């Protein structure tokens, strides 16, 4: 931050190419199949069909709107549909070997487009690249390529929802992925919506998805902890993004409880619970709260006031605010108002950490460079100190909704 302005890095933004613009990033052998796929593809997402869809790929518009909103840098998660996918890429595996090969090609096309998109705004975008989990060797090769290509946002970890046919995330199958990320300093990001099983299209199914989606995303935390990924790779970083943050203290308490209970039970052979804790202490290493404190972070998208009150229990150095641009549930164009709602009255140093300092450390942004930009466009210290009265009437982010600041999973 500067003397009078905060340096804001959004730890949760989304981008992607327009559909046909992915073709140049595909290997030539996939061009004919891409033409066939693109000619019949129907985009299922209204926001990607609207006249504002170019926010995903129009670099100049994006920079201007983020600056207007007080934001000088962003962590860029995917948003548009990569080639050969029926919808978002965070989904259960394709059923055939040919479709797997095409979808890998589609994700590589996105990653290569993203590298160029980030290069168009040097020092201001940390691109989050994509992989599939069905072929670990291919995933490792893509991680190494993305690291060399400068995609500093790290890896987007797909989920393994029930019915996917993939090993669970605690499986040692994925250890080469964790090892490579730890070796290269690549953050592992797990975003909400990436791990839910398909539920159908009935009204009840959509409601159940909203209730359950963050819980399914949280599962990556205890899978990697109990699976021992952090014991084997102590420098591995896990970031949980757009899943809320108010749940973290309670879940850590729960995980600590089960860890202590099962480790203790393992020493009492012959008891009913001894088998559940057998080998756990040796395989996972440190307890869950310690692992969280040493290895984990939260992308706290449109953070709510009740979550801010838990920052010391979550870890002030863990919290990274995000605007979720350009999504409707994001805070644009009212990010300053959202920040006032959440942070008014807090110490300046704490606000600065949650708005940019933590994200700079995790994703490798140069704060001195970003401070020079924030000196012109960042929200003022005095402005964020002023509590928000009535929220903007046309704001669409749930942070402003009645009851939106009460409780979130």
């Amino acid at each position: 931050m500067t003397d009078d302005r905060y340096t804001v890095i959004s730890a949760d933004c989304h981008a992607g190419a327009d559909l046909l613009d992915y073709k140049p990033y595909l290997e030539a052998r996939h061009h004919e199949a891409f033409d066939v796929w693109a000619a019949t593809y129907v985009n299922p997402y209204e926001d990607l069909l609207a006249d504002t869809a170019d926010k995903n790929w129009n670099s100049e518009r994006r920079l201007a709107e983020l600056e207007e909103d007080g934001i000088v840098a962003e962590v860029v998660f995917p948003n548009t549909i990569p080639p050969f996918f029926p919808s978002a890429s965070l989904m259960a595996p394709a059923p055939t070997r040919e479709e797997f090969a095409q979808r890998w090609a589609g994700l590589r096309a996105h990653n290569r487009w993203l590298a160029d998109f980030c290069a168009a705004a040097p020092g201001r975008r940390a691109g989050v690249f994509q992989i599939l989990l069905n072929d670990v060797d291919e995933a490792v090769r893509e991680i190494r390529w993305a690291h060399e290509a400068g995609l500093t946002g790290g890896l987007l970890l797909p989920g393994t929802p029930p019915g996917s046919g993939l090993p669970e995330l605690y499986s040692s199958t994925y250890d080469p992925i964790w090892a490579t990320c730890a070796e290269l300093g690549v953050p592992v990001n797990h975003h909400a919506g990436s791990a839910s099983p398909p539920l159908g299209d009935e009204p009840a199914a959509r409601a159940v998805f909203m209730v359950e989606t963050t819980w399914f995303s949280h599962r990556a935390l205890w899978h990697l902890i109990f699976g021992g990924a952090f014991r084997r790779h102590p420098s591995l970083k896990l970031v949980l993004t757009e899943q809320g943050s108010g749940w973290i203290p309670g879940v850590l308490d729960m995980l600590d409880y089960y860890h202590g209970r099962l480790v203790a039970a393992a020493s009492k052979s012959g008891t009913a619970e001894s088998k559940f804790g057998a080998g756990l202490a040796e395989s996972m290493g440190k307890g869950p709260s310690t692992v969280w404190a040493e290895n984990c972070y939260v992308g706290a998208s449109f953070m709510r006031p009740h979550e801010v009150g838990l920052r010391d229990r979550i870890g002030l150095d863990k919290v990274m605010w995000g605007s979720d641009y350009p999504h409707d549930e994001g805070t644009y164009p009212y990010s300053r108002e959202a920040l006032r709602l959440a942070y008014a009255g807090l110490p300046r140093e704490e606000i600065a950490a949650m708005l940019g300092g933590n994200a700079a450390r995790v994703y490798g942004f140069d704060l001195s460079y970003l401070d020079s930009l924030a000196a012109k466009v960042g929200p003022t210290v005095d402005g964020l100190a002023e509590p928000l009265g009535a929220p903007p009437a046309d704001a669409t982010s749930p942070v402003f909704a009645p009851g939106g600041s009460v409780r979130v999973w």
Side-chain angles (χ1 to χ4, degrees):
M1 64 179 293
T2 65
D3 288 340
D4 62 344
R5 291 181 185 266
Y6 290 107
T7 299
V8 182
I9 300 169
S10 173
D12 181 27
C13 287
H14 296 265
D18 199 1
L19 186 69
L20 297 181
D21 289 342
Y22 277 124
K23 184 175 179 178
Y25 292 94
L26 283 166
E27 295 174 85
R29 63 191 175 95
H30 294 290
H31 283 184
E32 183 176 350
F34 174 82
D35 291 339
V36 173
W37 172 79
T40 58
Y41 182 73
V42 178
N43 199 312
Y45 299 108
E46 292 182 6
D47 64 317
L48 298 181
L49 298 171
D51 58 5
T52 56
D54 74 320
K55 292 182 178 186
N56 286 282
W57 56 80
N58 185 329
S59 183
E60 294 305 315
R61 175 179 185 171
R62 190 179 184 97
L63 287 171
E65 291 190 349
L66 288 173
E67 287 186 4
E68 172 193 335
D69 217 22
I71 297 167
V72 295
E74 55 175 331
V75 180
V76 186
F77 287 85
N79 198 44
T80 60
I81 311 303
F84 307 117
F85 281 82
S87 58
S89 56
L90 300 176
M91 57 181 300
T96 69
R97 183 176 296 275
E98 180 184 5
E99 285 175 308
F100 269 138
Q102 287 183 335
R103 291 186 187 184
W104 261 113
L107 290 192
R108 288 193 178 97
H110 171 82
N111 294 342
R112 281 141 187 78
W113 173 87
L114 182 62
D116 282 351
F117 186 70
C118 291
R124 302 186 66 175
R125 292 175 180 149
V128 178
F129 63 90
Q130 300 184 76
I131 63 165
L132 291 172
L133 293 175
N134 63 294
D135 188 323
V136 170
D137 291 339
E138 287 287 345
V140 167
R141 281 191 284 272
E142 191 66 8
I143 294 167
R144 292 192 179 279
W145 175 88
H147 176 71
E148 288 296 320
L151 290 173
T152 58
L155 163 72
L156 180 58
L157 179 64
T160 55
S164 70
L166 292 170
E168 296 284 4
L169 288 177
Y170 55 71
S171 171
S172 60
T173 300
Y174 304 121
D175 212 53
I177 294 176
W178 318 140
T180 305
C181 288
E183 172 199 340
L184 300 177
V186 171
V188 174
N189 304 277
H190 197 53
H191 194 282
S194 64
S196 300
L199 295 172
D201 295 322
E202 296 182 30
R206 293 192 291 271
V208 168
F209 173 84
M210 289 298 293
V211 171
E212 294 182 346
T213 184
T214 50
W215 183 86
F216 276 107
S217 297
H218 300 344
R219 293 175 78 224
L221 176 63
W222 49 83
H223 277 233
L224 268 66
I225 289 177
F226 285 118
F230 301 103
R231 178 189 65 79
R232 295 187 299 277
H233 312 290
S235 62
L236 185 65
K237 292 185 287 191
L238 175 67
V239 183
L240 304 173
T241 297
E242 203 176 333
Q243 304 177 27
S245 57
W247 58 275
I248 292 169
V251 165
L252 290 177
D253 288 344
M254 177 192 71
L255 298 180
D256 284 339
Y257 164 75
Y258 278 109
H259 172 256
R261 172 178 165 181
L262 294 176
V263 167
S267 65
K268 301 172 183 176
S269 60
T271 64
E273 282 199 345
S274 61
K275 62 181 179 181
F276 289 99
L280 184 64
E282 296 79 9
S283 65
M284 70 174 281
K286 298 174 182 177
S289 285
T290 301
V291 171
W292 174 267
E294 294 181 357
N295 301 89
C296 303
Y297 304 85
V298 58
S301 308
F302 40 85
M303 198 174 190
R304 300 154 176 87
H306 81 281
E307 296 172 305
V308 176
L310 296 169
R311 64 193 182 282
D312 289 333
R313 294 183 62 195
I314 297 168
L316 181 64
D317 60 332
K318 304 297 177 183
V319 177
M320 302 181 292
W321 179 86
S323 71
D324 199 30
Y325 176 94
H327 290 166
D328 285 345
E329 65 267 28
T331 55
Y332 175 83
Y334 298 116
S335 290
R336 289 180 178 83
E337 288 79 2
L339 295 176
R340 288 170 58 195
L341 179 65
Y343 298 125
L346 269 61
R348 289 177 55 177
E349 294 75 14
E350 294 189 7
I351 298 175
M354 292 185 284
L355 294 191
N358 295 337
R361 187 177 70 256
V362 172
Y363 294 108
F365 288 102
D366 181 351
L367 266 183
S368 61
Y369 167 63
L370 296 180
D371 285 347
S372 68
L373 301 174
K376 302 175 183 177
V377 303
T380 65
V381 171
D382 289 343
L384 292 198
E386 183 69 25
L388 185 69
D394 60 341
T396 54
S397 176
V399 74
F400 297 116
S405 297
V406 177
R407 183 179 185 274
V408 174
W409 261 67

